[in-house]
């Protein structure tokens, strides 16, 4: 049987720049190929060019889709192919569905384009498609807008939307990115069902661990080129290219604490701190914390202890109350009940003026640090402001300290005159860490600090956090939805579900022998390589 | 739905009450005899009998709080008093001049919408140079004062070309120039807004998703782009209508049309306070009604967004 | 903002400042000099914008009118923005009930269309330059106040201020270092946009005979006077109006390049 997709030396250029550079692969029915790469690798452009939607200048030695020569296809022919024989699942279900239209009509649009079915017939088919992806109450849900559905329902709708035309090729463009592990498992399960039903599946992802579960073959992309391609087993276990090895090394799950995920810092080995003795006073004690917003109980009776020099990983799905917990710990929200103590001192609930002297002991790092920087400040000013406790933003006397901070987080001190907006995501996060370190805090609250970063960048930032903890003995409250990151970074783990902590304990215990039903379901859904 | 309606009516009453109170305070702040102020200010030379009549009608010899309550009680009964200048009940005058102004404003609003939709669509297809020209035209259109645009249009289309009359002769043709005068500047504002939201919508993930379903560029524009372009512009309808009423004062003066604006202008010139009060309250009421209507339409287009 | 845009904007502002402060440098003639023999001359080299019904040079009058028109526009914007800053800041920082009360009052004022509100104020004060400033200033205040409020609130609730709290900054430092500069910067754009609109509104009042009285060379008043001769001498209305359009469009451009939104006021 001839392949459904045949691509030989495909290049896509934008204004003279090649986003995709001589890429070759093929894909047959019942097969799953994964294109893996980080942002800017050209994987999404490749995917879109398979639908004639790259928007750039496409050239190829051979480029055939379902046996048709795609280099010579008219727009009309493309339209007949899209959503009919080749379908696409886009990344973010909230963004990929028009917020102003009922989801049922979004799905039916493909039928409108490709069939002559009457309206009731279309409605019936949409219902069937929604039932096929196990959407509860499809007849009612299809009349709702995407923003009225939960994340899981939206994801199912998005898959139904791609499946309605009964396509032979399905392209999933980062369809699992930014989903928590149970939703990821749901999408993967749906894609597996497609593959088993004889469809060709092209997965676009940045996550090797995820595609490993489904892909027959993997092609690793970097800067527009495929640097390595082969059977899944070979790419994962006997990687040939250095970049593939970097990506594999960067996967945190199963890597013991403090073992580097990247090769980047050849810094002199720091004398590792003695493991914290439990006799010492805990850095952070949280007891019976609750907070409701209106009728919605965001956090209910959460309690945990962060030991000095250790990391507590707080893990849970989006909406589980992790961020509210972080805000309560930081004293940004007033708890309804419970208390937060910092080195034995009462921190929350407390009047701001009375706890301000404690603030230098606790710092925070967010998922998207840019919003927490004053947009008028450049890097140097930002750090000077932090070092001088807000009294100066230019003081020359702080210059050496600023440089030292930047070096501490492995940033080039020459970046001092840049605006944070000009920095890359990884650099921004390093800057946020540098700023948080300025007052030499003893506790850092890290709310999804690496969730917006590419895997290899994530690895270097995690390594940096590890190193800093060893050097300074700072305690971390590390919040993430990503189980593998939590597993790698934490000494103890607390699992949060619907506002409550359902299980906590030493990392090895929780991950090795989960007691709570919810933890178990999370762990089964978690993709693992090691 | 009923709760929403109740909230709207309640809010409207509060706003009207505040406007009325502001007017009451304003009248009392005028230096000199309030009776004289009501009868057209110090220069009006109202007769002693007229002043006495006004005093007793408005209860000016009573304590201030009683006066205020009387004033409100009258308003509740829709009794705005008698126009000092026209000698007719204010309500009756307003009933006569409100319809032409509302008609003018509504037609202009529709014309502005139509023009900006066309411009926004053209801008989507335009080249870089074309977009620069479009940008300049929008900014200039938005910066053109009504009174000048009206004059220029009369000059061009009435005096020089003779296509449309400058003064309404009863046929629809008389409406063309006033409507254009009001609609062009508004269209300048709306086009900018629509263009922004249109390009955001057409560059969004859901537009791409629609394309992957096999929809053509044009279909995506109709099914998705237009809705998203219309929503923010719709949200501005209250403001737009309010600016049209402002513009109507000028336009009615230039084109010698009867209407709310013209009556207000002559009432202001003769300092006819009861008339001014009535018109201010009615225009506030019109604004409130328009706001409620647009909100209702927004809820139809975007039920999820309206709830948050 | 690009370099050329900056230069053009600066040149534009300097030109009008010069025109307003020293009109004699550009148009040395007397804007009030009547010469009936020269009445109704079409634009020519001697009179680039023609002459009016009394033989006064329209170009000289337009240049000399800049002072009055811009003065009213600036003063009205300053007044409106001043009131708006007080009300908007109070609403943004006040407890919920006071915020709600201020919002209601603003909503009530906003419900009356700007020009109608201005006319309402003039009905109480009588016509004149001072009343025109007060009327335009007060009638634009509610719109500004709502924007000031939302601006301050968005900065107040921003992650930036939370980060400052976490870093242990006191209230005063937060206000001084972050809240004021970040909230005010977009308002600068708003003020620039507002000046253009205020010049239009002020001219509209003069046009309606409620602002600057003739024969002063105020643009709105000139337009109003020229309207009578619209069929006879188009230049009487055209050029003063053009001046308004240039100022308003220029202010809009500068305001937009500073990051403002057009529909703001």
């Amino acid at each position: 049987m001839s392949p459904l997709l045949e691509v030989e030396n495909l290049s896509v250029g934008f204004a003279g720049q090649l986003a995709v550079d001589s890429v070759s692969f093929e894909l047959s029915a019942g097969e799953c190929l994964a294109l893996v790469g980080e942002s800017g690798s050209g994987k999404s452009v490749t995917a879109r060019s398979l639908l004639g939607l790259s928007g750039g200048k496409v050239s190829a030695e051979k480029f055939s889709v379902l046996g048709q020569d795609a280099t010579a296809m008219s727009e009309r022919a493309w339209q007949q192919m899209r959503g009919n024989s080749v379908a696409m699942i886009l990344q973010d279900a909230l963004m990929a569905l028009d917020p102003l239209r009922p989801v049922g009509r979004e799905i039916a649009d493909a039928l409108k384009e490709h069939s002559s079915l009457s309206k009731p017939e279309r409605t019936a088919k949409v219902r069937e498609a929604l039932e096929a992806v196990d959407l509860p109450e499809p007849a009612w849900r299809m009349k709702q807008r995407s923003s009225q559905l939960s994340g899981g329902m939206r994801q199912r709708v998005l898959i139904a939307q791609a499946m309605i035309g009964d396509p032979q090729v399905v392209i999933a463009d980062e369809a699992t990115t930014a989903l928590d592990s149970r939703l990821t498992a749901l999408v993967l399960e749906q894609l597996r069902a497609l593959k088993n039903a004889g469809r060709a599946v092209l997965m676009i992802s940045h996550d090797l661990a995820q595609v490993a579960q489904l892909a027959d073959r993997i092609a690793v992309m970097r800067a527009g080129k495929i640097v390595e391609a082969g059977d899944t087993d070979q790419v994962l276990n006997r990687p040939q290219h250095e970049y593939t090895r970097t990506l594999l090394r960067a996967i945190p799950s199963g890597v013991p604490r403090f073992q580097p995920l990247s090769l980047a810092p050849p810094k002199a080995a720091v004398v590792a701190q003695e493991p914290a003795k439990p006799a010492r006073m805990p850095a952070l004690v949280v007891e019976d914390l609750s907070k409701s917003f209106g009728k919605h109980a965001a956090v209910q009776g959460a309690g945990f202890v962060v030991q000095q020099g250790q990391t507590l990983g707080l893990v849970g799905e989006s909406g589980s109350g992790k961020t509210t917990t972080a805000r309560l710990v930081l004293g940004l929200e007033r708890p309804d009940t419970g208390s937060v103590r910092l080195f034995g001192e009462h921190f929350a609930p407390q009047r701001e003026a009375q706890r301000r002297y404690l603030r230098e002991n606790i710092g925070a790092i967010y998922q998207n640090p840019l919003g927490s920087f004053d947009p008028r400040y450049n890097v140097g000013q930002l750090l000077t402001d932090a070092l001088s406790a807000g009294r100066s933003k230019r003081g020359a006397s702080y210059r050496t300290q600023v440089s030292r901070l930047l070096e501490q987080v492995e940033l080039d001190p020459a970046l001092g005159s840049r605006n944070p907006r000009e920095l890359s995501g990884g650099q921004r996060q390093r800057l946020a860490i540098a700023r948080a370190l300025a007052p030499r805090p003893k506790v850092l609250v890290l709310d999804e600090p690496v969730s917006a970063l590419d895997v290899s960048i994530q690895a270097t930032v995690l390594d940096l956090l590890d190193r800093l903890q060893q050097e300074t003995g700072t305690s971390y409250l590390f919040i993430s939805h990503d189980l593998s990151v939590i597993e790698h970074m934490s000494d103890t783990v607390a699992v949060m579900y619907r506002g409550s902590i359902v299980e906590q304990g030493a990392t090895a215990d929780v991950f090795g022998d989960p007691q709570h039903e919810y933890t178990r379901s999370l762990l089964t859904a978690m993709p693992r390589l090691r | 739905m009923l709760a929403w309606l109740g909230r709207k009516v309640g809010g409207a009453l509060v706003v009207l009450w505040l406007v009325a109170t502001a007017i009451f305070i304003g009248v009392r702040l005028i230096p000199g005899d309030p009776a004289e102020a009501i009868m057209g200010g110090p220069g009006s030379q109202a007769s002693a009998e007229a002043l006495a009549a006004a005093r007793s009608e408005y209860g000016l010899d009573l304590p201030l709080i009683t006066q205020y309550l009387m004033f409100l009680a009258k308003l509740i009964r829709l009794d705005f008093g008698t126009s000092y200048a026209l000698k007719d009940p204010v309500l009756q005058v307003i009933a006569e001049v409100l319809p032409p102004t509302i008609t003018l404003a509504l037609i202009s609003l529709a014309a502005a919408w139509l023009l900006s939709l066309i411009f926004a669509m053209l801008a989507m297809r335009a080249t870089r140079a074309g977009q620069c020209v479009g940008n300049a035209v929008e900014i200039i259109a938005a910066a053109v004062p009504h009174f000048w645009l009206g004059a220029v249009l009369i000059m061009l289309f009435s005096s020089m070309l003779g296509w449309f009359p400058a003064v309404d002769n009863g046929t629809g043709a008389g409406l063309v120039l006033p409507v254009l005068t009001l609609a062009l500047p508004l269209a300048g504002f709306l086009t900018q807004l629509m263009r922004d939201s249109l390009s955001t919508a057409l560059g969004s993930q859901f537009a791409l998703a629609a394309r992957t379903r096999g929809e053509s560029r044009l279909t995506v524009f109709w099914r998705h782009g237009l809705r998203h372009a219309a929503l923010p512009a719709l949200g501005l309808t209250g403001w737009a209508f309010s600016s049209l009423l402002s513009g109507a004062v000028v336009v009615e003066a230039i084109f010698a049309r009867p209407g709310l604006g013209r009556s207000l202008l002559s009432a202001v010139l003769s300092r006819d306070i009861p008339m001014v009060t009535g018109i201010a309250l009615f225009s506030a009421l019109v604004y409130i009604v328009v706001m409620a209507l647009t909100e209702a339409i927004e809820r139809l287009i975007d039920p999820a967004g309206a709830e948050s | 903002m690009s370099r050329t845009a900056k230069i053009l904007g600066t040149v534009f502002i300097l030109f009008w400042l010069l025109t307003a402060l020293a009109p004699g440098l550009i148009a040395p003639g007397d804007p009030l000099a009547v010469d009936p023999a020269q009445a109704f001359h079409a634009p020519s080299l001697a009179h680039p914008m023609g002459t009016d019904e009394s033989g006064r040079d329209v170009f000289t009058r337009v240049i000399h009118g800049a002072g009055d028109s811009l003065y009213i526009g600036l003063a009205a914007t300053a007044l409106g923005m001043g009131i708006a800053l007080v009300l908007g800041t109070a609403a943004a920082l006040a407890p919920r009930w006071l915020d709600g009360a201020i919002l209601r009052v603003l909503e009530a004022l906003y419900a009356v269309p700007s020009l109608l509100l201005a006319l309402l104020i003039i009905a109480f004060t009588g016509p004149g330059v001072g009343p025109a400033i007060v009327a335009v200033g007060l009638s634009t205040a509610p719109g500004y106040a709502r924007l000031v409020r939302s601006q301050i609130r968005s900065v107040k609730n921003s992650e930036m201020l939370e980060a400052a709290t976490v870093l242990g900054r006191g209230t005063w430092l937060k206000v001084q270092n972050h809240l004021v500069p970040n909230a005010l910067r977009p308002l600068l754009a708003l003020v620039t946009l507002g000046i253009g609109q205020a010049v239009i509104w002020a001219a509209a009042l003069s046009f309606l005979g409620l602002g600057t009285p003739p024969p002063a060379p105020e643009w709105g008043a000139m337009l109003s006077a020229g309207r009578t001769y619209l069929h006879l001498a188009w230049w009487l209305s055209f050029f003063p109006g053009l001046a308004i359009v240039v100022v308003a469009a220029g202010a809009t451009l500068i305001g937009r390049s500073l990051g403002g939104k057009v529909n703001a006021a």
Side-chain angles (χ1 to χ4, degrees):
Chain A
M1 194 169 58
S2 70
L4 297 173
L5 289 178
E6 274 180 285
V7 176
E8 228 167 275
N9 285 334
L10 170 78
S11 295
V12 185
F14 294 92
Q17 292 246 318
L18 283 186
V20 177
D21 188 357
S22 311
V23 162
S24 306
F25 57 86
E26 51 186 51
L27 181 63
S28 304
E31 198 185 23
C32 175
L33 168 71
L35 277 183
V36 177
E38 297 184 292
S39 48
S41 64
K43 56 189 193 305
S44 282
V45 177
T46 310
R48 279 171 207 184
S49 60
L50 298 175
L51 284 168
L53 286 174
S54 69
K57 203 172 139 29
V58 180
S59 64
E61 265 169 44
K62 177 156 196 191
F63 182 10
S64 88
V65 182
L66 301 170
Q68 290 193 54
D69 181 7
T71 51
M73 234 152 79
S74 70
E75 177 62 22
R76 185 82 218 127
W78 274 119
Q79 277 172 29
Q80 272 163 4
M81 193 168 271
R82 292 179 202 139
N84 195 19
S85 40
V86 183
M88 195 162 188
I89 304 170
L90 287 167
Q91 178 180 346
D92 186 342
L94 186 60
M95 308 294 282
L97 294 164
D98 190 334
L100 298 185
R101 305 181 74 230
V103 293
R105 286 179 55 190
E106 288 277 282
I107 302 173
D109 280 348
L111 292 176
K112 233 178 194 167
E113 294 299 321
H114 300 298
S115 70
S116 50
L117 297 178
S118 69
K119 198 168 175 201
E121 285 171 328
R122 288 202 300 263
T123 313
K125 280 206 80 163
V126 169
R127 223 182 126 155
E128 272 169 42
L130 288 173
E131 274 162 8
V133 292
D134 293 326
L135 185 81
E137 305 165 274
W140 174 50
R141 291 294 177 187
M142 64 193 277
K143 290 188 194 122
Q144 291 192 305
R145 269 86 172 163
S146 62
S147 55
Q148 291 162 309
L149 303 181
S150 72
M153 295 180 194
R154 274 201 290 272
Q155 214 63 45
R156 288 173 202 271
V157 167
L158 204 64
I159 296 171
Q161 179 235 205
M163 299 321 303
I164 191 91
D166 199 15
Q168 288 164 274
V169 180
V170 177
I171 302 166
D173 186 3
E174 294 278 12
T176 54
T177 305
L179 299 182
D180 29 46
S181 48
R182 292 204 301 177
L183 276 182
T184 303
L186 161 84
V187 174
L188 289 178
E189 176 200 316
Q190 296 278 352
L191 290 177
R192 187 187 308 278
L194 286 174
K195 190 178 107 171
N196 293 343
R199 310 291 199 286
V201 177
L202 180 66
M203 261 186 105
I204 314 286
S205 178
H206 67 281
D207 191 337
L208 273 170
Q210 262 169 27
V211 303
Q213 307 186 352
L214 191 58
D216 302 303
R217 284 179 297 122
I218 295 178
V220 180
M221 278 190 86
R222 184 189 200 185
K225 288 193 162 84
I226 290 181
V227 295
E228 176 162 7
D231 289 341
T232 301
D233 172 60
Q234 184 211 318
V235 171
L236 294 181
N237 299 320
R238 292 180 300 283
Q240 301 300 307
H241 197 275
E242 185 47 45
Y243 181 64
T244 317
R245 274 179 239 152
T246 306
L247 285 183
L248 283 168
R249 201 179 296 120
I251 297 169
S253 65
V255 179
R257 285 227 62 194
F258 299 121
Q259 185 172 318
L261 302 169
S262 65
L263 284 182
K267 291 256 170 180
V270 191
V271 185
Q273 285 231 329
E274 288 290 301
K277 293 179 188 71
R280 283 205 287 180
M281 180 198 289
L284 189 71
V285 178
V286 171
E287 275 171 358
D288 187 35
L289 221 47
S290 297
K291 178 75 186 174
S292 301
F293 299 103
K295 282 187 196 136
H296 171 64
V299 177
Q300 290 168 297
F304 49 81
V305 172
V306 181
Q307 298 293 349
Q308 282 190 42
Q310 293 205 345
T311 300
L312 171 78
L314 185 61
V315 69
E317 297 176 346
S318 53
S320 61
K322 304 186 302 278
T323 294
T324 308
T325 307
R327 294 173 58 81
L328 290 167
V329 169
L330 287 167
L332 293 170
E333 301 276 359
R334 198 184 163 77
D336 297 339
T337 68
S339 67
V340 177
R341 269 177 296 143
L342 197 60
F343 290 93
E345 305 221 39
H346 199 65
F347 188 73
Q350 178 70 283
R351 292 168 58 122
E352 190 59 37
Q354 274 160 17
R355 67 171 164 225
R356 191 160 290 136
Y357 76 100
L358 288 172
R359 286 270 184 208
E360 60 178 30
N361 294 322
I362 185 164
I365 289 161
Y366 310 96
Q367 175 173 4
N368 175 15
L370 202 55
S372 69
F373 300 152
D374 191 314
R376 298 171 307 127
Y377 290 2
N378 67 26
V379 171
Q381 289 169 338
L382 207 64
L383 293 179
T384 308
D385 174 81
L387 285 164
S388 67
R391 280 183 291 276
S392 160
K393 57 173 179 151
R394 273 184 241 284
S397 52
Y398 294 101
R399 199 162 292 154
T400 37
Q401 277 176 279
V402 168
S403 301
R404 200 181 307 145
L405 271 179
L406 287 172
E407 277 165 22
Q408 202 178 0
V409 297
E410 295 150 22
L411 278 179
D412 184 356
L415 292 176
S417 58
R418 294 274 197 89
N419 189 293
R421 271 186 301 251
E422 301 164 31
L423 303 183
S424 70
Q427 287 174 322
R428 283 178 196 162
Q429 206 52 281
R430 284 165 190 273
L431 176 59
I433 295 170
R435 181 175 73 163
L437 289 177
R440 301 176 180 276
K442 302 197 180 95
V443 177
L444 274 185
V445 177
L446 303 117
D447 189 2
E448 303 273 7
V450 292
S451 302
L453 303 177
D454 276 327
V455 196
S456 63
I457 308 293
Q458 166 180 305
T460 61
V461 172
L462 291 179
D463 285 351
L464 171 69
L465 289 171
D466 269 348
R467 208 197 81 219
L468 291 171
Q469 188 167 44
Q470 287 184 311
E471 282 176 10
T472 61
T474 314
S475 320
Y476 293 159
L477 171 58
F478 196 107
I479 297 171
S480 179
H481 72 281
D482 189 333
L483 285 159
S484 60
V485 170
I486 289 285
E487 186 186 14
H488 171 62
M489 292 300 289
S490 314
D491 298 295
T492 48
V493 174
V495 181
M496 207 157 186
Y497 180 55
R498 295 192 177 169
S500 304
I501 291 179
V502 294
E503 176 162 10
Q504 57 180 320
T507 307
D509 295 343
V510 173
F511 277 76
D513 181 21
Q515 299 301 310
H516 194 274
E517 182 53 39
Y518 174 71
T519 317
R520 269 194 290 265
S521 79
L522 272 186
L523 287 173
T524 5
M526 171 183 171
R528 268 181 187 282
L529 281 184
R530 302 186 178 90
Chain B
M1 188 65 207
L2 217 61
W4 174 81
L5 204 67
R7 265 206 316 280
K8 285 286 122 185
V9 172
L13 287 178
V14 172
V15 167
L16 287 177
W17 167 67
L18 283 170
V19 173
T21 308
I23 290 171
F24 181 81
I25 296 171
V27 174
R28 294 308 181 281
L29 282 181
I30 302 172
D33 185 356
E36 209 173 57
I38 290 167
M39 301 309 284
S44 68
Q45 285 158 355
S47 65
E49 297 90 70
L51 286 177
R55 258 186 217 107
S56 73
E57 189 188 342
Y58 290 90
L60 294 177
D61 33 8
L62 299 169
L64 211 58
I65 183 74
T66 321
Q67 291 182 32
Y68 177 60
L69 292 176
M70 276 176 64
F71 173 73
L72 288 184
K74 278 189 166 182
L75 290 187
I76 288 170
R77 279 179 274 127
L78 287 179
D79 177 5
F80 295 96
T82 307
S83 160
Y84 152 75
L86 302 171
K87 313 279 184 236
D88 285 324
V90 169
L91 194 62
Q92 184 191 324
V93 178
I94 291 180
E96 274 168 31
V97 296
L98 196 60
T101 301
I102 299 286
T103 316
L104 180 67
L106 282 179
I107 296 177
S108 304
L109 188 65
W113 264 85
L114 197 68
L115 283 174
S116 41
L117 265 183
I118 294 171
F119 286 147
M121 275 161 71
L122 286 178
M124 285 291 107
R125 313 238 67 167
T127 56
R128 241 188 107 75
Q131 287 190 340
C132 276
V133 173
N135 228 326
V137 170
E138 276 162 34
I139 288 183
I140 291 172
V144 165
H146 293 122
F147 46 94
W148 186 64
L149 183 61
V152 170
L153 289 178
I154 290 178
M155 227 150 63
L156 268 177
F157 293 109
S158 182
S159 310
M160 287 162 80
L161 298 169
W163 288 357
F164 305 107
V167 178
D168 203 344
N169 50 8
T171 66
L175 260 176
V176 173
L177 293 184
V179 164
L180 273 183
T181 307
L182 281 176
L184 281 176
L186 184 58
F189 285 113
L190 288 180
T191 309
Q192 284 174 7
L193 202 65
M194 284 192 194
R195 246 171 8 118
D196 285 354
S197 36
L198 197 59
S199 64
T200 314
L202 294 182
S204 68
Q205 287 282 304
F206 61 78
L208 178 67
R211 297 273 283 147
T212 69
R213 289 191 289 260
E215 295 176 29
S216 69
R217 234 178 254 282
L218 199 67
T219 319
V220 174
F221 178 85
W222 284 115
R223 269 190 206 153
H224 305 274
L226 271 188
R227 263 170 237 260
H228 287 265
L231 202 61
L234 192 67
L236 264 191
T237 305
W239 168 85
F241 205 80
S242 156
S243 86
L244 285 174
L245 287 187
S246 285
V249 177
V250 173
V251 165
E252 284 167 4
I254 298 177
F255 292 96
R257 295 177 59 83
L260 200 66
R262 200 145 162 246
S263 303
L264 176 64
L265 184 59
S266 58
V268 168
L269 286 170
S270 57
R271 306 191 73 178
D272 185 348
I273 299 295
M275 193 69 207
V276 170
T277 308
I279 292 178
L281 281 172
F282 258 87
S283 53
L285 184 66
V286 168
Y287 173 82
I288 292 166
V289 170
V290 170
M291 281 301 275
L293 281 178
T294 43
E295 209 175 293
I297 298 174
E298 277 178 303
R299 287 166 77 91
L300 279 183
I301 297 184
D302 184 11
E307 273 160 31
S308 58
Chain C
M1 194 175 9
S2 77
R3 233 181 109 79
T4 29
K6 260 186 198 160
I7 295 172
L8 280 177
T10 318
V11 167
F12 178 83
I13 292 169
L14 286 179
F15 170 77
W16 285 111
L17 269 183
L18 180 73
T19 314
L21 296 176
L25 283 180
I26 297 168
D30 179 358
L32 300 176
V34 175
D35 184 359
Q38 296 282 321
F40 295 126
H41 278 291
S44 64
L45 272 182
H47 302 286
M49 295 183 183
T51 58
D52 69 3
E53 71 277 13
S54 315
R56 293 173 294 201
D57 181 48
V58 176
F59 175 70
T60 311
R61 283 175 65 74
V62 166
I63 292 297
H64 284 260
D68 261 1
S69 298
L70 293 180
Y71 163 66
I72 300 178
L74 282 172
T77 310
L79 178 69
M81 200 36 110
I83 298 170
L85 274 176
V86 174
L87 283 179
T89 313
L93 303 179
R96 259 180 98 109
W97 64 269
L98 186 58
D99 178 34
I102 296 177
L103 265 188
R104 279 284 180 218
V105 172
L106 291 178
E107 202 181 319
L109 288 174
Y110 202 74
V112 184
S114 311
L115 191 60
L116 269 64
L117 189 59
L119 288 177
L120 192 64
I121 292 163
I122 286 178
F124 297 145
T125 59
V129 174
I133 293 174
V134 174
V136 174
L138 283 182
S139 62
T140 49
Y144 288 147
R146 302 210 306 190
L147 288 163
V148 170
R149 172 180 171 275
S150 67
Q151 187 62 43
I152 291 180
R153 277 173 69 103
S154 77
V155 179
K156 191 180 123 191
N157 298 330
S158 67
E159 281 183 29
M160 181 198 355
L161 277 209
E162 278 191 357
T165 308
V166 171
L167 282 169
R169 301 288 178 269
T171 312
W172 175 242
L173 275 178
K174 280 192 278 186
V175 169
Q176 181 201 337
N177 283 355
H178 305 295
L179 186 67
V180 170
N182 280 299
L184 282 191
R185 203 187 165 94
L187 292 184
L188 185 70
L190 192 61
V191 166
T192 322
L193 290 174
I195 290 172
Q197 291 297 307
V199 167
I200 293 184
W201 287 127
L205 287 181
S206 296
F207 177 80
L208 295 173
L210 300 168
T212 318
E218 200 273 344
W219 295 337
M222 288 170 72
L223 258 166
S224 173
R227 187 155 63 100
T228 325
Y229 310 104
L230 199 54
H231 303 261
L232 199 67
W234 55 269
W235 54 91
L236 291 191
S237 306
F238 182 78
F239 290 109
L242 192 65
I244 297 173
V245 174
V246 168
V247 167
T252 309
L253 270 177
I254 295 175
R256 285 226 309 191
S257 63
L258 289 171
K261 278 249 159 47
V262 187
N263 55 302

